[in-house]
Amino acid sequence: MTPVHQPPTLPAAVDRATGSPTMQEAILRLQEFWASRGALVMQPFNTEVGAGTANPATSLRVLGPEPWQVAYVEPSVRPDDARYGENPNRLQTHTQYQVILKPAPDNPQEIYLESLEALGIDTRAHDIRFIEDNWASPALGAWGLGWEVWLDGLEITQFTYFQQAGGLVLDPIAVEITYGLERILMALENVRHFSQIQYNDTVTYGEVFAQAEYEMSRYYLDDADVELNHRLFQLYADEAQRMLDRSLPVPAYSYVLKCSHTFNVLDARGAISTTERARSFGLMRRLTRAVSELWVARREELGFPLGQWTPPAPATAAALPEVTGAQPLLIEIGVEELPHVDVRRATESVRAAVEEQLAATSLEHGAVAVKATPRRIVVTVEDVAQAEADTTLTVRGPRATAAYGDDGEPTKALLGFLRGQGKTPEDVTRVDADGVEYVAVERFVPGRTSPSIVAGLADAAVRSLHAERNMRWGDPELSYSRPVRWLVVLLGTTHVPVAVSALVSGTSTRVLRSADEPVVEVSDARGFGELLAGAGIVLDRDERRQRVVSAATELAASVGGTVDVDGESDLVDEITDIVEDPRAILGSFEQRFLDLPPQILRTVMRKHQRYLPVVGDDGRMLPHFITFANGPHDTDLVRAGNESVIRARYEDAAFFWRADLEVSPEEFRSRLGALTFEERLGSFDDRVNRIADLAQTFTAAYGLDDKDAETVRRAAALGKFDLASQMVVELSSLAGTMAQEYAVRAGESPAVAQALAEMEMPRSSASGEPRSVPGAVLSLADRFDLLTSMYAVGSVPTGTSDPFGVRRTALGLVRVLRGFPMLSAVSVRDGVRAAADRLARQGIETGAEVQEAAVDFVRQRYEQQLSEAGHLHSVVRAVLPAADRPARADELVAVLSESLAEEGARSIVAALQRSMRILPAGVAVEEGGSLPDTAEPAERELESIVVAIEEAMAGHEGDVERLFSVGGALPAAAERFFDEIRVMHDDPAVKASRLGLLARVAALGGREVDWLAL
Amino acid sequence: MTPVHQPPTLPAAVDRATGSPTMQEAILRLQEFWASRGALVMQPFNTEVGAGTANPATSLRVLGPEPWQVAYVEPSVRPDDARYGENPNRLQTHTQYQVILKPAPDNPQEIYLESLEALGIDTRAHDIRFIEDNWASPALGAWGLGWEVWLDGLEITQFTYFQQAGGLVLDPIAVEITYGLERILMALENVRHFSQIQYNDTVTYGEVFAQAEYEMSRYYLDDADVELNHRLFQLYADEAQRMLDRSLPVPAYSYVLKCSHTFNVLDARGAISTTERARSFGLMRRLTRAVSELWVARREELGFPLGQWTPPAPATAAALPEVTGAQPLLIEIGVEELPHVDVRRATESVRAAVEEQLAATSLEHGAVAVKATPRRIVVTVEDVAQAEADTTLTVRGPRATAAYGDDGEPTKALLGFLRGQGKTPEDVTRVDADGVEYVAVERFVPGRTSPSIVAGLADAAVRSLHAERNMRWGDPELSYSRPVRWLVVLLGTTHVPVAVSALVSGTSTRVLRSADEPVVEVSDARGFGELLAGAGIVLDRDERRQRVVSAATELAASVGGTVDVDGESDLVDEITDIVEDPRAILGSFEQRFLDLPPQILRTVMRKHQRYLPVVGDDGRMLPHFITFANGPHDTDLVRAGNESVIRARYEDAAFFWRADLEVSPEEFRSRLGALTFEERLGSFDDRVNRIADLAQTFTAAYGLDDKDAETVRRAAALGKFDLASQMVVELSSLAGTMAQEYAVRAGESPAVAQALAEMEMPRSSASGEPRSVPGAVLSLADRFDLLTSMYAVGSVPTGTSDPFGVRRTALGLVRVLRGFPMLSAVSVRDGVRAAADRLARQGIETGAEVQEAAVDFVRQRYEQQLSEAGHLHSVVRAVLPAADRPARADELVAVLSESLAEEGARSIVAALQRSMRILPAGVAVEEGGSLPDTAEPAERELESIVVAIEEAMAGHEGDVERLFSVGGALPAAAERFFDEIRVMHDDPAVKASRLGLLARVAALGGREVDWLAL
């Protein structure tokens, strides 16, 4: 908080882009545009809302069957975005422009792009992209799929197909388009702080709003009375419920909105306790759902005054054409921009569908290829025969004896059969089946023509599309990751009419939206690849990826740098699947930002922008990045745009960096109580306290030296403090990283800082692990607490659901334990038990069975790791008894894997196994005293060998490696024993003595290895 | 309340006017228009407000020196206008379009008219008028002067020059323009219910908003939880104060707005008690003031980011021209539309100023005329001489003896004198003064030229303008009822440059705004009247009035009716002074509305519309009205517009009428407790209870018969119940009238109904009085209570301030008392005392002196009435001792006035006076026993005459009329007595006896008349 409000120091003025609209011009242009498209132009809501979505003109109107097209400005209040007007990009009230199109039209993206043109944006010169970004508000029982729209890398719009709202499934689906006006205007006007936007020709945004930004920030962050707002929240909720009881959804909803805003105020003040947050969300969710149901009921009572939408009927395809000769097949399924993961997934599912269909026919055909970009899945099949071969079917009729009467005339049975087959008595032949004679006729079955088969193929291909999250868009039957918008089916030059639900095939494809002619006629299946290539579209994924890699490498080299293609391979994959026509652009940013920790710079590039960092010879970052536009554009313009975006993001980061540095780690740490971890498990404060106690317990168990112990203690005391920092709130993947950076700058020792970072490691299967012992100790304490507490509250990972990352946690636990053999003093079981004991102090009980399940879950992860590392299954199974201490198990794996390559060791193992197999399972074998006098020489020899080995192993019992080195005499002695001696002697004493000897042999193997598994 | 919401039955559809904009088009056009004029286009506020004024973009931004031009839509929430969407013209949320221009430009009206053109309104075809309508919100410490703008009689806009806001005087002044969009759209689209407005091309207003109208009406009128809203009010106020304490005016103000809305909710729910209303208003006023002061302070701290307005400097006039010969003078002062009362007032003040100025010169000139319309005050002076006559001044110098030295040479003294006078020794003459000789020179003083004098004249004329309520508009010195916009000063064809403050004279006048050329050059003072006449402007008021009367009469006759020109003379006067070019239009309304009581119909016409009613031969209203447009227009269009307006208003009235009839008088009466009368005096329930008790007291004192007594009792029990009716809330002047109408229909007796109406009489000096005794009794009780209670709380009328109408009340009291001599049993003093006693029961004390002041105030009113009726001052003064019973005093006035015309009575009066003058003032004179034996004949004779008169007067003591008839012998006897007898005899006994005799003479005059005043 700034004690006395002074306007922030603004960045140096830059030349305002000429001809760009002012804020109010932009709004007017949008109002006019959407009015011209038939939308109702309405007003912002008259109580505070966090987004245009909350305005009942969206949230209630998307419900039910009434059509509704609306557009309006919505000043959206986000108390926790309050920054006193100082942050260049963040405001407590920002201005959304909200559009709802219900039912969703067939071409909402195209209409949207026209609106950008209306705003004065040249959509061909700029790089405009639809990047996957889904939306869900569990608190509102609402979700939808869609995109963030990028203008030269800048997110300017949220574009969502609403699927559900107020807990109700939407029908029809509504498209929501939400423009972020300040961002758009900053980009159009080329200014660096929102205050510098021209609001109109004479006044800037800051001149109009800066004081309110400051004062409302003060209110939200510092001055709002907490007790009073708590009371308001409850009063609003009460009134909402009362209005629901009286069947008045409109006033009820306005009070739900007031609840929500008040909650946000309290949250920004850091005044929402754990239990209150959960309770409040539940309350608001229930109220919203009740409002929604009531609203729909009231609309129905009123007879749906705005009419009722009826979904389109499935289409009927035209008659199939005739095709002559073998022809190449082209099926193109056109979609709105797919999420990158769906490009590969769609390729596979369509390929499978096509192959399955083809396999079920006898149609001859050549090579099948399936390729995809974010906007199309293209199937090509070479040389598709004109038709299947014709076949003749023999159709069996009645028994011959029943086919003709005594007079030799056809019986009624035969005549009926013939009538059914369209045959005459002259056509009758006879067949024998299992020795019985039947009459029969032969029927000619012509092969299906290729159009008929292809139609089925296309149908199956479209219907095979299925993503992890699917949506509807207005088609009566289809659902998919994004809407399917067109279908091209050609056999050579012949269009094959196909109707899949309401989707009807045609002969038009769509190329880049920015093309002169975005819709192109396809006259021939041949050369379709060339047609796309001519439009700049690289259909082949490998080729696209190669282009991305080579262009990036080349551009990086132009500034003396490189791109870490392997290290960034996930990102390269993603880039490959979000463009059809990758055009690399080298951008730069100001040198000064290199003062920020490189992790910040990389994270911002990667997460927000999909930019590839450029690295110099010394491995340090260069002030450059590489981005990829989709298709041709004005490179300078797009570069400048992207440079502005990264600058703004780095400004943000630098702002957070500076702001965070003004807060001590202790202060941050003290704020963790306000951050809920999990409803039953409490806040992050609770969690870090548990971790610290566990770390203490483990420190004692490990017997760490004083220095390490102190490092653990201190780091644990500050644990996860950076979760309260602005940087981590913004970029959660920097948790730990920022703790280290901030701790060092706050004067903590490097060891403590490192431990704070390592506590969060490993983040994922591919990322780094702790290197220091204190870091490892904290990492373990962290993971034991998470694992055990999740089992304690039943939040166990299932097939696809693992919200708290328990699987990842267990894998991490194993990795750390494997990486730090010196920390084997605490086994997995020990760790879980210690964590359970600590949870019990917080009143959370974890039963023995539950603990065991957690331990077992870790064991399975370890087993999985070993398997994935290529170890022999037998070896893996053999070491599982030691899996409770994975580092130890690792040693066993190494020894076993190495030793078993040698004959000697294998023989020892065989001897052990043979001994063990004879020993009765589950029966306690008296461990032998010495042999009786009646013992035979083979017994005596084996005993002496065993005694010698036991002596050699003394103090190293169970040490497999030693066993292999000192046990060389065992196999021969054992072999002689088994050859000469009948263990199961009739005399129980003799038998016991012999079993006892074998038990001593078996005991040489120790308890850590399941020798029989080998 | 409608238990289940069903859409209201809408009026039959009418043809929508072609080409008219939809609601959203209208908004877009206004946004574009005002944006093009440099206004910031902003958004509605995000908490409920009752008007665009409350949005901080108005209420805070008008404060301080920063310029601010803004325009925005404001959905304005008025809970007590909620009507479930049923009333065609009234909504709980209506849509204002708000514009603020700060500083006020020179031509805001013209800009506004252009905005109407932008809306698609042909401002020449329609009749557009600026009708006085001032605005004040004591709760906000805000007021301004301005107009309501009429479009064919429909109020479509409030147009205000803000003078004060938040308790702070504004500098610069801001113009506020508030468009009522629903009204404008209903007019433009020619629909009869707001639901029928096209919101856009496909959806109506009702389809969008009807459900919310219904549900929010339910909330505001029926379902809002009272206790909860009371709590919210207090919480909001607390938070506002807390933010003030932290110097944050922006959040503080948002909580003041929440307070205000919550108050309105409670008020609509009828849940505001008397004390709470006063307390709440006080609280909100204080908070608003504190916010305003803090806002200005913060803006100053921030250095007034939007700049600081500086007022224009007073102008300097160009050099005066030369004028040859006598010329006619024209001074035209152009103003924005004056309130009608100011037209006549301005005429008088300008005339006085001009005449005073002319009188102070020796300039010869002809006839002076001053005429005025709402837009101009025109001074013409015929034959203004070229200049004043030249004069010669003799300037005395030193004594002759000191002027020349012994050598005869001029002394230094003389030379100094001559130098000062610019003369030489040759110019010296001599003059004698009181016998002393001085040197002197003669100085020629040329007469001032006419331009020089005229310039002073024009200055004085402009500065003489002063209204009861004056405003500033941006001129550094001038203030007036409305802005002065132009000044023409011509002497013949010569322009005389004059600068009055920042106003500079020119030669352009402005004619009707709808003229083809609204600005016209004036080349010659001669023929200016013709120039205006040519533009349709009737400058002469008498002529304008005559035109109004004759046109109205003629149009009324065309439908077989008449206009009550005399009865409506106030309205005719008003019409005369709100138009420059009166154009009568005859309009009609539906026959069915004649079912409403005619007072309603007339009141609506008169108060809201300034329409003249048309009356048939039988004195009953005809379904017609006459209105006057200003200047030429499309008559059919304007007629249709006005007909729509009156129809809508009658629909409203009919709606209220029907709604009110569903509520019993008792029920209405029970609601008076919710209506505050005055903070300390309580609610109207308290007041009516006091009146009822007083009426009971008076009834006993008067000894009314049972029937009248019962009428008084019943009427008093229901007293003022109609104040709670919708009709009276809407049309307060119908108070009493509606009580009568509703009472009759509720089955009350005609006498009770009449008494309820008469209780409110007389309303003003010109209106009717009670006719029935019960009505008079209630009228008196009402007025005694009001008078006394206002004196009790110190709300005594001062020069211009008399908010509760105490002066009118006292005048009414006197009129009723004079009208009902049979009610003289209760004197004014008795009445005040009774009222004071009753107030005491409510804990309100009224001291004796205060009571006496109230009585005296009434006496003064009576005295004033007598004087104004033309009675001799002496007679008026003589009867004042009886003024406590005005009816009795009236009798005395009559007797005295009549009798004093006769010599006999005058002699009797003289005898009485002579006796009285001799009697020592303040000395108790022994009333005589009989005369002593030593008495002289003159004494004896007088005594015998006195005895005879006393005997004749027995039982009629003090009866002046009788005295005059029986006292004929007194003058002669008295004359002899005074001739012959020395009253002040040295012998005290003799003296006492003689004085005693004179005292008996004086006593004949009784105590009711102040004989010495005659």
Side-chain angles (χ1 to χ4, degrees), chain A residues 709-726:
Chain A
E710 175 55 23
T711 300
V712 168
R713 197 202 55 72
R714 178 64 184 162
L718 295 176
K720 295 184 190 293
F721 75 83
D722 58 344
L723 292 183
S725 72
Q726 294 193 41

Side-chain angles (χ1 to χ4, degrees), chain B residues 885-922:
Chain B
R885 289 186 167 78
R888 173 64 192 139
D890 279 356
E891 290 172 12
L892 294 172
V893 168
V895 169
L896 290 176
S897 300
E898 196 175 323
S899 308
L900 292 178
E902 292 160 24
E903 179 58 33
R906 281 207 299 276
S907 306
I908 295 171
V909 171
L912 294 174
Q913 289 174 328
R914 196 159 177 189
S915 306
M916 289 166 178
R917 285 200 195 93
I918 288 176
L919 291 169

Side-chain angles (χ1 to χ4, degrees), chain A residues 357-404:
Chain A
Q357 290 282 313
L358 284 174
T361 75
S362 61
L363 191 70
E364 290 184 8
H365 62 82
V368 175
V370 180
K371 297 178 177 178
T373 75
R375 284 191 75 206
R376 66 198 77 238
I377 301 106
V378 175
V379 179
T380 53
V381 185
E382 293 174 13
D383 299 323
V384 176
Q386 182 174 333
E388 291 175 308
D390 298 339
T391 51
T392 303
L393 272 183
T394 300
V395 186
R396 200 169 76 181
R399 288 184 175 214
T401 51
Y404 297 96

Side-chain angles (χ1 to χ4, degrees), chain A residues 30 56 66 92 281 293 322 341 344 368 430-431 484 546 615 686 747 817:
Chain A
L30 286 174
E66 292 170 285
Q92 52 84 29
F281 272 132
E293 286 170 349
E322 290 189 6
V341 293
R344 278 171 282 178
V368 175
R430 304 204 171 201
V431 293
V484 180
Q546 188 44 46
V615 180
D686 294 324
L817 288 170

Side-chain angles (χ1 to χ4, degrees), chain A residues 24 32 41 208 215 239 250, chain B residues 24 32 41 61 215 219:
Chain A
Q24 77 181 33
E32 280 158 26
V41 177
V208 181
E215 291 197 22
E239 192 75 335
V250 175
Chain B
Q24 76 180 34
E32 281 158 27
V41 177
R61 296 290 184 171
E215 292 195 23
Y219 184 73

Side-chain angles (χ1 to χ4, degrees), chain A residues 892-914:
Chain A
L892 294 172
V893 169
V895 170
L896 289 176
S897 300
E898 194 176 325
S899 307
L900 291 179
E902 292 160 25
E903 180 58 33
R906 281 208 300 278
S907 303
I908 295 171
V909 170
L912 292 174
Q913 289 176 327
R914 195 158 179 190

Side-chain angles (χ1 to χ4, degrees), chain A residues 282-342:
Chain A
L283 178 61
M284 291 190 284
R285 188 164 49 240
R286 281 194 303 280
L287 290 171
T288 303
R289 166 120 198 180
V291 164
S292 301
E293 286 170 349
L294 190 53
W295 167 266
V296 174
R298 299 304 310 268
R299 298 304 290 176
E300 188 165 13
E301 280 166 37
L302 290 168
F304 296 125
L306 295 170
Q308 285 181 254
W309 176 78
T310 45
T316 312
L320 290 172
E322 290 189 6
V323 171
T324 310
Q327 297 289 349
L329 168 64
L330 165 67
I331 301 173
E332 184 194 35
I333 305 168
V335 291
E336 295 182 359
E337 277 78 351
L338 292 177
H340 69 99
V341 293
D342 286 323

Side-chain angles (χ1 to χ4, degrees), chain B residues 904-960:
Chain B
R906 281 207 299 276
S907 306
I908 295 171
V909 171
L912 294 174
Q913 289 174 328
R914 196 159 177 189
S915 306
M916 289 166 178
R917 285 200 195 93
I918 288 176
L919 291 169
V923 172
V925 176
E926 273 173 50
E927 296 235 351
S930 53
L931 290 177
D933 295 344
T934 56
E936 296 188 23
E939 288 179 83
R940 296 210 177 275
E941 183 188 347
L942 182 58
E943 182 186 39
S944 67
I945 296 297
V946 166
V947 168
I949 295 174
E950 283 173 349
E951 282 168 1
M953 297 283 286
H956 300 277
E957 287 81 6
D959 181 334
V960 177

